[in-house]
C-alpha cells in the first residue's frame, strides 16, 4: 500500500492574525484595551472553529509495560494526546489545528538511552518544527523528525561520555507525530507501528507503518561493511541486533546510525486504532495474531454494555477496553514465551 497516495488537498484557509498594530503602547485608553481583548477572544474562537473543521478524528492513547523475565525495565514511552502546549503560540503554523505525539523506546545494555530519548526527543521535535507558513509542509516535517532524531542521539552520546566508564546503552525508537489528521511515523530499529483499518466487508486489514532495521538486510549490511564493520550471526560485530539506534556509541563507527525512516499516512474514517510495540511483544505474537487478539477484546464492547444495561452506578475507575487490551496482550506475550521487557501502546481513533 502506498502510504503517500492519500495526501489531503492543501488547506484552503490558512488563518489570519487579528492583532492590531497598537501593541507597542502600554497606555492605551480602556476602550482600545477592551477591543484588543475582544480580538484575542475572536482569535481563540477562530482557532476552535478551525479545530472543528480541520480535525475529523479524536485520538486517545493507552499504554502498558511489563518487565518480563528481565531484572529491570529498560523500555520507556511517551503519550501526549495534546502535544500543542509544548509549543509557543507563535510557533505553530496557522493551518495546524491539532498536534499529538506517541513514542516507545526499547533500551538495551541499560535503560539510560531509552530514558534520555523519552525525555528529550519530543523537545527536539518542538525546536526543529517548521515555523510559520512553509511551501512543502510534509518535506519540512520529515526534515524536522530526522534532525530531531540525530540531535537526540548526539546529545545522548555526549552525555554518555561524562560517565566513567562511558555508558554503552542504546535504544530503538518508534514515534508518531500527528499533525491535524496526518501521521508522521519515524523509527529506528525493530519496534513497530501498525494501523488497524476496517475493510468494506467488515474485516480488518493491517497497515504497517514501519520497517525493521536489521543488520541482515542488504542495504543495512552494505552500509555497515563500508563503515568498516561486519555482520556476524545476524548482528553488528556479532553483538548488536539492530542496525539503527540511539546511543550504542561503540558501534557508531561501524555504520550504526540514528537516521530514522519516516512515513506519512492520512487517517481515514475506516481506521480503528494504532498499535505501537517494542520487540518484546513480537517475541510472543505474530503481527496478525496480535491485531486479532486486540480486536477480539475491543469487539466485546457491545456485549459488555448490554450486560450493564442502564445502570448509572457504573464504576468510573473501571478500565476501558483499550486498557484491558493493552494489559492482556502484553501479559500474554510473556506467557507465550517472551522473556523481554514488553511495552504496548494503543491509540484509539474516533470520529470527532
Amino acid at each position: 500500500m502506498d502510504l503517500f497516495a492519500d495526501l489531503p488537498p492543501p488547506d484552503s484557509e490558512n488563518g489570519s492574525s487579528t492583532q492590531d498594530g497598537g501593541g507597542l503602547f502600554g497606555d492605551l485608553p480602556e476602550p482600545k484595551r477592551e477591543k484588543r481583548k475582544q480580538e484575542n477572544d475572536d482569535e481563540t474562537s477562530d482557532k476552535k472553529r478551525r479545530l472543528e473543521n480541520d480535525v475529523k478524528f479524536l485520538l486517545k492513547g493507552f499504554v502498558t509495560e511489563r518487565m518480563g523475565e528481565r531484572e529491570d525495565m529498560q523500555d520507556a514511552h511517551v503519550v501526549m494526546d495534546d502535544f500543542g502546549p509544548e509549543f509557543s503560540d507563535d510557533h505553530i503554523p496557522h493551518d495546524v489545528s491539532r498536534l499529538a505525539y506517541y513514542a516507545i523506546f526499547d533500551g538495551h545494555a541499560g535503560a539510560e538511552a531509552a530514558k534520555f530519548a523519552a525525555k528529550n526527543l519530543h523537545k527536539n521535535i518542538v525546536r526543529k518544527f517548521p515555523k510559520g507558513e512553509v511551501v512543502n509542509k510534509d518535506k519540512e516535517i520529515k526534515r524536522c523528525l530526522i534532525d530531531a532524531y540525530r540531535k537526540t542521539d548526539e546529545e545522548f552520546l555526549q552525555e554518555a561520555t561524562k560517565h566513567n566508564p562511558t555508558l554503552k546503552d542504546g535504544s530503538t525508537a518508534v514515534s508518531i507525530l500527528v499533525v491535524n489528521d496526518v501521521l508522521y511515523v519515524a523509527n529506528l530499529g525493530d519496534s513497530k507501528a501498525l494501523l488497524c483499518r476496517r475493510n468494506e466487508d467488515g474485516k480488518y486489514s493491517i497497515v504497517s507503518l514501519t520497517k525493521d532495521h536489521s543488520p541482515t538486510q542488504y542495504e543495512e549490511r552494505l552500509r555497515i561493511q563500508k563503515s568498516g564493520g561486519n555482520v556476524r550471526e545476524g548482528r553488528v560485530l556479532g553483538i548488536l541486533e539492530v542496525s539503527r539506534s540511539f546511543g550504542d556509541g561503540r558501534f557508531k563507527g561501524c555504520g550504526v546510525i540514528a537516521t530514522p525512516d519516516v512515513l506519512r499516512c492520512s487517517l481515514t474514517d475506516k481506521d480503528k486504532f494504532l498499535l505501537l510495540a517494542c520487540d518484546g511483544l513480537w517475541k510472543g505474537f505474530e503481527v496478525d495474531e496480535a491485531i486479532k487478539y486486540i480486536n477480539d477484546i475491543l469487539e466485546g464492547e457491545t456485549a459488555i454494555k448490554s450486560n450493564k444495561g442502564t445502570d448509572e452506578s457504573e464504576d468510573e475507575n473501571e478500565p476501558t477496553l483499550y486498557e484491558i487490551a493493552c494489559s492482556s496482550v502484553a501479559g500474554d506475550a510473556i506467557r507465550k514465551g517472551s522473556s523481554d521487557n514488553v511495552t504496548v501502546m494503543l491509540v484509539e481513533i474516533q470520529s470527532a
Side-chain angles (χ1 to χ4, degrees):
M1 177 179 293
D2 185 358
L3 299 179
F4 296 85
D6 57 353
L7 293 173
D11 294 331
S12 58
E13 296 181 6
N14 292 324
S16 60
S17 174
T18 59
Q19 294 180 350
D20 58 27
L24 298 176
F25 303 95
D27 56 352
L28 291 175
E30 193 62 24
K32 289 189 177 180
R33 288 179 179 168
E34 288 297 325
K35 180 179 179 181
R36 185 168 55 185
K37 179 179 182 301
Q38 181 63 46
E39 288 171 339
N40 289 336
D41 290 343
D42 290 344
E43 187 173 0
T44 300
S45 297
D46 179 63
K47 184 176 182 180
K48 290 180 179 178
R49 283 193 297 270
R50 287 191 289 107
L51 178 62
E52 293 173 354
N53 292 334
D54 296 344
V55 176
K56 299 179 181 178
F57 305 100
L58 302 178
L59 305 177
K60 184 172 179 57
F62 305 88
V63 66
T64 293
E65 56 182 21
R66 295 283 187 273
M67 192 177 298
E69 297 180 9
R70 296 294 179 90
E71 295 182 356
D72 56 352
M73 171 54 72
Q74 297 183 0
D75 291 355
H77 63 267
V78 181
V79 176
M80 291 187 180
D81 295 319
D82 185 4
F83 191 29
E86 299 293 318
F87 294 76
S88 60
D89 291 339
D90 60 348
H91 193 154
I92 303 176
H94 289 298
D95 60 349
V96 174
S97 300
R98 186 263 300 281
L99 290 161
Y101 173 78
Y102 307 96
I104 284 179
F105 307 93
D106 181 3
H108 47 261
E112 296 306 314
K115 291 179 180 178
F116 187 92
K119 182 178 179 180
N120 293 282
L121 177 58
H122 66 278
K123 295 178 181 178
N124 283 324
I125 290 174
V126 170
R127 296 186 187 105
K128 302 289 185 178
F129 197 82
K131 299 179 178 66
E133 305 306 321
V134 295
V135 175
N136 189 330
K137 184 166 64 178
D138 293 323
K139 182 178 179 181
E140 292 301 317
I141 292 176
K142 179 178 180 179
R143 179 181 294 132
C144 156
L145 292 170
I146 291 173
D147 289 347
Y149 267 66
R150 288 174 174 170
K151 180 65 173 175
T152 302
D153 185 53
E154 291 170 2
E155 291 173 340
F156 176 72
L157 291 174
Q158 290 174 0
E159 183 67 25
T161 61
K162 297 178 183 179
H163 293 254
N164 187 15
T166 298
L167 294 177
K168 297 180 179 180
D169 305 47
S171 178
T172 70
V174 57
S175 68
I176 299 180
L177 174 65
V178 187
V179 182
N180 295 341
D181 287 327
V182 180
L183 312 177
Y184 296 90
V185 187
N187 79 291
L188 301 172
D190 55 9
S191 293
K192 299 183 190 296
L194 305 165
L195 173 64
C196 180
R197 178 170 284 174
R198 301 179 184 88
N199 295 327
E200 296 295 338
D201 58 6
K203 296 181 180 180
Y204 294 95
S205 60
I206 304 168
V207 181
S208 180
L209 302 176
T210 56
K211 67 175 183 179
D212 291 352
H213 297 130
S214 169
T216 60
Q217 295 167 349
Y218 175 75
E219 293 180 355
E220 300 292 291
R221 185 174 73 249
L222 187 63
R223 185 188 66 249
I224 291 166
Q225 291 173 342
K226 286 183 176 180
S227 298
N230 62 69
V231 178
R232 300 196 306 271
E233 299 180 357
R235 299 169 179 246
V236 180
L237 304 185
I239 302 172
L240 185 64
E241 284 187 271
V242 294
S243 54
R244 302 191 194 192
S245 64
F246 287 126
D248 289 316
R250 55 187 167 152
F251 300 104
K252 282 298 191 275
C254 301
V256 175
I257 60 176
T259 304
D261 280 329
V262 180
L263 291 179
R264 177 198 188 283
C265 180
S266 292
L267 292 173
T268 73
D269 56 8
K270 297 179 181 179
D271 298 332
K272 184 173 183 181
F273 63 82
L274 293 163
L275 168 62
L276 291 77
C278 66
D279 71 328
L281 178 65
W282 312 119
K283 292 175 181 177
F285 281 92
E286 297 294 331
V287 167
D288 55 349
E289 184 185 9
I291 294 293
K292 182 181 185 303
Y293 182 103
I294 292 167
N295 263 320
D296 285 346
I297 294 175
L298 299 181
E299 293 298 329
E301 181 174 8
T302 302
I304 291 174
K305 285 184 176 179
S306 63
N307 289 336
K308 289 179 179 177
T310 58
D311 184 5
E312 298 297 332
S313 63
E314 179 179 333
D315 186 358
E316 293 181 357
N317 296 321
E318 184 176 345
T320 68
L321 286 170
Y322 277 88
E323 290 172 317
I324 294 170
C326 265
S327 178
S328 297
V329 74
D332 269 10
I334 294 172
R335 283 188 285 273
K336 287 164 67 78
S338 178
S339 60
D340 202 351
N341 296 155
V342 179
T343 300
V344 177
M345 185 181 297
L346 290 173
V347 181
E348 180 184 12
I349 304 170
Q350 286 190 337
S351 296

